[in-house]
Amino acid sequence: MIKPTQILLDRLAITASALCALHCIAAPLLLVIFPSLLALPVGDHFYHILMVWFVIPTSSIAVLLGCTRHKDTAVLVLAFFGITGLAISAIYGHDLLGEIGEKLATLTATFLLIAAHWRNYSLCRNDSCDHAKSEKC
């Protein structure tokens, strides 16, 4: 039977990764439209670090729970590069790659992580994984 914890963590990780991507895309547009948002005490770097502290444990646990069942190494590889890319982008991205490079690296890592979780979630729902068929989306 599929573990509710793994399902929840995969869904949380997909949502967090999607929010991260949305932030990268929408934040510059919102700042142009609403320049007063620059007065907020929360900086872009703070947001990235906060997301990394949330995404790394959530993603790691969800992927490991799923991979113990389906043994798919593609999930591990995608998750590893996604998590590593997010962490490097959050910590060193602006200094190493500049603002645009940091956003592109973050988006790439985010999409890798979303792909890993989507694959993990799908494999755990697959009949070949011996999980319950009755679980509804």
Side-chain angles (χ1 to χ4, degrees), residues 13-103:
I14 289 170
T15 302
S17 296
L19 285 174
C20 188
L22 183 64
H23 172 264
C24 285
I25 294 168
L29 296 174
L30 288 172
L31 289 175
V32 168
I33 296 169
F34 304 109
S36 60
L37 290 174
L38 289 170
L40 292 174
V42 178
D44 200 38
H45 185 69
F46 174 77
Y47 178 80
H48 285 147
I49 297 299
L50 183 67
M51 287 302 291
V52 166
W53 278 102
F54 176 74
V55 168
I56 287 176
T58 304
S59 294
S60 299
I61 294 167
V63 165
L64 291 175
L65 285 174
C67 286
T68 57
R69 294 181 165 272
H70 55 67
K71 311 280 193 266
D72 187 73
T73 56
V75 172
L76 286 175
V77 170
L78 287 167
F80 173 79
F81 284 111
I83 290 170
T84 303
L86 276 178
I88 289 171
S89 292
I91 297 168
Y92 304 111
H94 196 269
D95 295 335
L96 292 176
L97 306 169
E99 189 174 336
I100 293 173
E102 175 189 16
K103 292 201 183 299

